[in-house]
Amino acid sequence: MRDDAPLFDPQAFRLTSQEAELTELARTLGAENFAGRAAAYDRDAVFPTENYDDLHAAGLLSICVPKAHGGHGASYRAYMLTAAEIGRYCGATALTFNMHVCSCLWSGDLADDLDMNGLERDRHDRHRARHYARIVKEGRIYAQPFSEGGAAAAGVVLFSTSAKKVDGGWVINGKKIFASLSGHAHYYGVLCGEVKPGEKPSRKDTMYIAVPADAEGVSVEGDWDPLGMRATVSRNLVFKDVFAADDEELMPRGVYYQAATRWPHMFMTLSPAYMGIAQGAYDFTVKYLRGEWPGLPPVKRRMYPTKQITLAEMRVRLEQTKALWFQAISEARVDPSKEQVLRAYAAQYTVMENANELCRLAIRTCGGQSMLKSLPIERLYRDSRCGSLMLPWTAEICLDRIGREGLYEPGETD
Ligand SMILES: Cc1cc2nc3c(=O)[nH]c(=O)nc-3n(C[C@H](O)[C@H](O)[C@H](O)COP(=O)(O)OP(=O)(O)OC[C@H]3O[C@@H](n4cnc5c(N)ncnc54)[C@H](O)[C@@H]3O)c2cc1C
């Protein structure tokens, strides 16, 4: 029986009818299909292939593909709310869903907000139509490898994975670490730096190019045996003289840099997985303390004042997290104000830190049995640990920027 209320009640949060429908669809899939599979994916650190089959069948792989191209045409906020519902039931599915959806969202709604001349716009329209068709018609999955183990993923320097322009396309060389969906995605949306002989590397030359997983020179390396988010299968990817045709460009030259500087909320798209985990930790605690967790003896623990206080503390944190996150995702837009950007950092920080804190409180108050692998809170606890480590907006980097940007206006020094 379904007894989980929507994470964001459509009436209370005044969701659009599309948001209400998409979140309901995700919640149904999550509760009925993903929740039951999550433990095995986590135990074996295997990719949630069956969940992706379900996402494709439900049309959710195309959530941010424009309606004209056969998708749902969901906005940034609609995607974020939908992914959060998935994260309640399987964090790794929600997190990898982000990597896939960004290939549509960034090349779609975000790119539409950015400056391009007519020729660039036409070319981009042709390219993205090809990507969208693959996703809508064939259920193709895209990954998003940008981390390299250096300063590039934090947005400090240009990516060292290089893209050299040649006749008809690009030749890509380099290595990515933590490439979620490696070995499972059909395309890797690689962030790389265009090589311009004689010129100093500049972040303005960042390219976003889809590399077919079966292209010559692509290999997946290393093992994947992490603490949490194990089903993301985030192994290393190596590109050795890999050719990608021009129409694999997910954004034209210069547009990724524009997006990163003018549409900063694009870097919050990892947070829904953890918003979902925060809610999942709270839901578990209520059921457990009421003696209603399926499969366990109906032992009630709710009568102890310490449990009630801890649950109250969890609820306060959850409501604070939801309110701030909802506000931040509602005001995401091109060229946001300074206040909106600071709020986005604060929201990202709050979700990532509080997801882990809610899981910690859940285990402490539910007690020893709750840390057994037979119960989902043990997995949620481990998964939640990863959130604040995710570049480019780690919890540390968010704090760093809130402090600096709160005290200095652009260009100011001491
Ligand atoms: C489950 C999971 C899935 C992932 N999936 C993907 C994926 O699909 N694609 C992808 O590209 N990456 C992915 N990542 C990678 C992630 O974003 C990081 O790149 C990764 O965790 C490696 O971090 P690091 O230890 O090399 O970070 P480092 O660069 O060594 O940074 C360590 C810490 O130092 C701080 N720091 C770093 N740079 C700065 C700075 N300039 N200013 C202030 N503080 C700084 C940050 O807080 C950071 O957490 C994933 C990570 C996890 C945990």
Side-chain angles (χ1 to χ4, degrees), residues 95 99 143-151 153-156 176-181 224 226 228-230 232 234 270 274 386-392 394-397 400-401 404:
L95 194 59
M99 318 321 182
Q144 194 195 40
F146 63 85
S147 298
E148 296 176 340
V156 178
K176 295 288 186 183
I177 65 167
F178 280 87
S180 295
L181 306 100
W224 177 249
M229 287 292 184
R230 293 169 56 80
T232 58
S234 310
L270 296 160
Y274 299 93
C386 302
S388 55
L389 315 179
M390 305 214 52
L391 291 166
T394 65
E396 286 182 343
I397 288 179
D400 203 36
R401 293 190 183 168
R404 188 161 18 96

Side-chain angles (χ1 to χ4, degrees), residues 33-51 89-93 224-226 229-233 372-376 378-380 382-383:
N33 299 1
F34 301 171
R37 296 173 185 152
Y41 292 144
D42 169 66
R43 186 189 59 227
D44 301 334
V46 294
F47 186 71
T49 301
E50 297 80 0
N51 292 356
Y89 306 100
C90 182
T93 298
W224 177 249
D225 190 11
M229 287 292 184
R230 293 169 56 80
T232 58
V233 193
L372 298 175
K373 285 192 181 291
S374 52
L375 294 178
E378 187 270 347
R379 184 186 73 254
L380 295 177
R382 287 182 289 104
D383 286 351

